[in-house]
């Protein structure tokens, strides 16, 4: 039996941040359980050609660990190295137990402790921070005949670097954020690339640039300049989110993306196939200056249809398109709406999170779920956004978590839970806020009001408030009341205007 004050599950971007934040808040008994042999999470797993950050690098760093990035949009190796060096610099690496997968967890209402079963034994802890992240499990399409394809088939998140792409006929299934990055990298090596696109996305220009040695020296000598650059990029990204709240403001931004398409793709037929049929913001925002040019190359062919079947070496589209390939790359995304541990964590009444969420995922401030004392979710329901960086939300959540746990420990209590009515009020406010956003358009409303989309999209209207609310948490605002043997319930309400 192992014991810890706080257990963190996962050692990716979220888990490393949690370990550091908890240690900085005075919680020395923090242990991070990581099933792999290396930290990094999605930045460890995703190694496809061209993999990198799709928001400015200065926004993808922790605010307490500024970094001198090589370019505006850093590549995967630099981000992974940053996570490793930051974890080591703050001692978080020593808290990680590698090769330890969580098999199950249960809240003990008598002992007021969480018990987690892992591949390395049983752990007990006062609190658990779930940091497994939404970009963890690749989504594989259910395509008849795919298993019988004679050549290599792999997901972009599990890129097979042992496969030589030179002279290959490659079929790419999906045109999301990953394809936008790897297509320009593989196109020069392949004999032919056939790209199957089920839905066209809005692609914004990407103002990437390399930082010169002089710029590095200047930013290192003048921390205020680094903060100013970070602030500039932050508010630029936030400004992109404003039209998502007020769709009448979208036309100028849509005009920019249309001009980007028009100047990058001279062929009218290809432009029509690449023109989205939904409003900008209805799907994840993508930025690239190399994707459109790659699609215009003579060895690249775009098929605006989904793949419905594979027959031998032939990949068949819904419109009857048939193309022969000797390699298939699945760029079909992740199970974003599924928390990896939801079916393994049992709350106070014995139900799992999956069962509790059978009618839809919800959590107060995307962090606390009623009936699961001392359990905190990082990047939980309604805390994803396509227009700004994840660390911004993570740090706000961690200020909420450390404040709550500090108050719990200082007053001698053993557990806290969020009131069901506070959670319900928060959830109702989120859905009410949806009505005036871009998501309330005819083509998107039906999709977004159904799980899992309605639970993992963070509405532009409430993004800033959801980010700031945890940071404003103070003990006197938690409105704590004793409800049992040292157990308290936390109630907080947010106002949306």
């Amino acid at each position: 039996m192992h014991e810890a004050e706080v257990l963190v599950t996962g050692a990716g971007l979220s888990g490393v941040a949690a370990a550091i934040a908890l240690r900085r808040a005075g919680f020395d008994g923090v242990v991070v359980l990581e099933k792999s042999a290396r930290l990094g999470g999605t930045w460890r797993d995703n190694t496809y050609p061209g993999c990198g950050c799709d928001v400015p690098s200065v926004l993808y760093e922790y605010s307490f660990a500024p970094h001198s990035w090589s370019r505006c949009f850093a590549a995967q190796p630099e981000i992974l190295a940053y996570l490793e060096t930051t974890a080591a610099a703050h001692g978080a690496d020593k808290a990680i137990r590698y090769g330890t997968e969580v098999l199950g967890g249960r809240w003990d209402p008598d002992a007021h402790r969480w018990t987690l079963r892992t591949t390395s034994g049983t752990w007990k802890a006062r609190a658990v921070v779930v940091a497994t992240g939404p970009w963890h499990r690749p989504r594989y399409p259910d395509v008849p005949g795919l298993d019988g394809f004679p050549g290599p088939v792999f997901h972009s998140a599990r890129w097979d670097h042992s496969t030589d792409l030179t002279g290959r006929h490659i079929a790419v299934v999906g045109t999301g954020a990953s394809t936008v990055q790897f297509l320009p990298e593989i196109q020069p090596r392949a004999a032919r690339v056939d790209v199957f696109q089920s839905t066209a996305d809005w692609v914004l220009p990407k103002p990437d640039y390399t930082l010169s040695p002089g710029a590095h020296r200047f930013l290192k000598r003048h921390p205020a300049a680094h903060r100013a650059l970070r602030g500039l990029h932050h508010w630029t990204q936030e400004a992109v989110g404003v039209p998502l709240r007020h769709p009448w403001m979208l036309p100028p931004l849509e005009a920019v993306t249309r001009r980007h398409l028009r100047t990058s793709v001279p062929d009218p037929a290809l432009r029509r196939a690449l023109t989205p049929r939904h409003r900008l913001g209805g799907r994840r925002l993508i930025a690239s200056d190399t994707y459109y040019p790659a699609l215009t190359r003579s060895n690249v062919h775009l098929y605006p249809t989904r793949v419905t079947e594979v027959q031998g070496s032939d990949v068949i589209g819904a419109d009857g398109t048939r193309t022969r390939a000797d390699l298939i790359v699945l760029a079909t995304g992740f199970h974003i709406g599924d928390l990896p541990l939801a079916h393994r964590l049992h709350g106070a009444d014995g139900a799992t999170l999956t069962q509790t969420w059978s009618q839809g995922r919800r959590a107060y401030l995307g962090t606390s779920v009623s009936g699961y004392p001392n359990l905190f979710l990082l990047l939980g329901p309604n805390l994803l956004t396509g227009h700004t960086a994840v660390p911004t939300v993570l740090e706000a959540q961690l200020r909420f978590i450390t404040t709550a746990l500090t108050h719990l420990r200082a007053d001698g209590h053993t557990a806290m839970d969020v009131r069901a009515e506070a959670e319900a009020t928060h959830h109702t406010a989120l859905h009410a806020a949806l009505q005036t956003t871009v998501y309330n358009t005819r083509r998107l409303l039906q999709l977004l009001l159904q799980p899992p989309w309605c639970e993992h999209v963070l509405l532009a209207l409430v993004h800033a408030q959801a980010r700031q609310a945890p940071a404003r948490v103070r003990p006197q605002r938690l409105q704590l009341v004793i409800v049992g043997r040292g157990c308290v319930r936390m109630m907080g309400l947010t106002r949306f205007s």
Side-chain angles (χ1 to χ4, degrees):
M1 181 73 68
H2 310 282
E3 293 201 11
E5 186 171 11
V6 183
L7 284 174
V8 178
T9 64
L13 179 73
S14 302
V16 170
I20 295 174
L22 288 163
R23 288 169 62 89
R24 286 161 61 96
F27 294 89
D28 296 323
V30 178
V31 174
V32 181
L33 306 179
E34 170 56 53
K35 70 177 183 180
S36 299
R38 186 182 184 184
L39 64 80
T42 190
W43 295 108
R44 174 199 62 230
D45 296 339
N46 284 268
T47 60
Y48 58 81
C51 180
C53 196
D54 54 9
V55 296
S57 308
V58 290
L59 298 182
Y60 215 79
E61 66 189 19
Y62 304 127
S63 63
F64 53 81
H67 179 67
S68 182
W69 299 97
S70 64
R71 59 187 313 107
C72 182
F73 294 86
Q76 175 266 341
E78 186 174 9
I79 297 173
L80 180 58
Y82 169 75
L83 291 176
E84 291 178 327
T85 55
T86 302
H90 291 267
D93 59 332
K94 296 181 176 59
I96 303 174
R97 303 295 183 269
Y98 293 106
T100 302
E101 181 179 2
V102 176
L103 303 176
R106 188 176 296 272
W107 171 254
D108 186 335
D110 296 320
H112 288 177
R113 289 288 187 274
W114 278 95
T115 300
L116 298 188
R117 294 183 298 103
T118 77
T119 53
S120 300
T122 301
W123 286 84
K124 284 187 176 292
R126 168 178 290 192
V128 172
V129 177
V130 180
T132 45
W135 301 280
H136 179 66
R137 293 174 53 228
R139 182 184 294 276
Y140 291 89
D142 184 14
V143 176
L146 184 60
D147 292 342
F149 183 74
V153 179
F154 53 83
H155 196 282
S156 59
R158 300 292 184 266
W159 196 273
D160 183 1
H161 292 277
S162 66
T163 299
D164 186 7
L165 306 182
T166 305
R168 292 272 196 165
H169 288 238
I170 305 172
V172 175
V173 182
T175 54
S178 299
T179 302
V180 166
Q181 293 185 340
F182 73 68
L183 179 63
E185 300 295 321
I186 69 172
Q187 172 269 320
R189 289 182 280 165
R192 178 186 175 101
V193 183
D194 294 318
V195 181
F196 287 84
Q197 169 194 273
S198 59
T199 305
D201 286 309
W202 294 91
V203 180
L204 296 164
K206 187 175 183 178
D208 198 8
Y209 56 86
T210 301
L211 273 71
S212 67
H216 281 292
R217 288 193 297 270
F218 180 81
L219 292 174
K220 188 173 183 179
R221 292 174 184 170
H222 304 283
H226 185 97
R227 291 193 296 271
L229 179 63
R230 179 182 170 91
L232 174 64
H233 281 296
H234 170 76
W235 289 112
T236 299
Q237 295 292 119
E238 288 296 301
V240 173
V242 173
L244 305 186
R245 174 182 176 181
H246 304 289
W248 62 268
M249 300 174 65
L250 280 173
L253 191 57
E254 291 175 337
V256 170
T257 60
R258 288 196 181 96
R259 183 178 185 278
H260 181 47
L261 173 59
R262 186 172 61 253
T263 57
S264 302
V265 180
D267 179 21
L270 182 57
R271 280 204 307 271
R272 283 194 296 272
L274 291 168
T275 300
R277 297 184 179 182
H278 57 272
R279 298 301 303 274
L280 186 145
R283 286 165 56 92
R284 178 177 176 176
L285 296 180
I286 297 174
S288 175
D289 283 346
T290 57
Y291 177 59
Y292 283 155
L295 287 169
T296 66
R297 301 296 183 252
S298 60
N299 66 331
V300 177
H301 300 267
L302 178 75
Y303 297 107
T305 182
R306 61 187 178 88
V307 173
T308 56
E309 187 179 1
V310 174
Q311 293 181 358
S313 296
D314 291 345
V315 181
I316 304 170
D319 62 355
T321 296
R322 179 184 291 261
T323 182
R324 178 150 293 195
D326 51 30
L327 188 156
I328 297 178
V329 178
L330 304 174
T332 46
F334 300 86
H335 290 274
I336 298 292
D338 299 334
L339 184 72
L341 294 180
H343 66 290
R344 302 181 182 181
L345 297 176
H346 299 257
D349 63 356
T352 65
L353 266 175
T354 298
Q355 293 169 328
T356 299
W357 285 341
S358 61
Q359 300 302 312
R361 299 168 69 235
R362 63 171 65 184
Y364 177 68
L365 291 176
T367 308
S368 298
V369 181
S370 182
Y372 294 79
N374 294 8
L375 181 74
F376 303 95
L377 311 178
L378 291 181
L379 301 182
N382 301 110
L383 285 184
L384 290 184
T385 169
H387 69 272
T388 194
V390 167
T392 305
V393 176
L394 277 179
E395 292 191 36
Q397 284 190 279
L398 289 168
R399 287 193 291 274
F400 171 81
I401 293 170
T402 54
T403 299
L405 290 178
T406 297
H407 182 70
L408 188 70
R409 184 170 63 177
D411 284 7
H413 299 305
T414 57
M416 64 171 58
D417 196 2
V418 62
R419 292 185 190 273
E421 57 266 34
E423 180 184 274
T425 299
H426 177 70
H427 189 71
T428 300
L430 284 170
H431 279 259
L434 174 67
Q435 302 308 311
T436 59
T437 70
V438 66
Y439 308 111
N440 198 27
T441 60
R442 179 180 299 179
R443 296 184 64 87
L444 295 171
L445 185 59
Q446 185 175 5
L447 170 66
L448 290 171
L449 287 180
Q450 300 298 321
W453 293 104
C454 65
E455 289 90 20
H456 81 255
V457 173
L458 175 64
L459 307 179
L461 174 62
V462 302
H463 175 219
Q465 294 169 333
R467 187 183 70 247
Q468 295 166 4
R472 296 196 301 265
V473 169
R474 296 292 183 270
Q476 62 270 26
R477 294 188 183 185
L478 292 179
Q479 301 179 30
L480 298 169
V481 293
I482 297 177
V483 297
R485 286 184 50 238
C487 182
V488 299
R489 284 188 176 269
M490 172 180 64
M491 179 174 182
L493 298 177
T494 54
R495 176 175 297 175
F496 301 92
S497 58

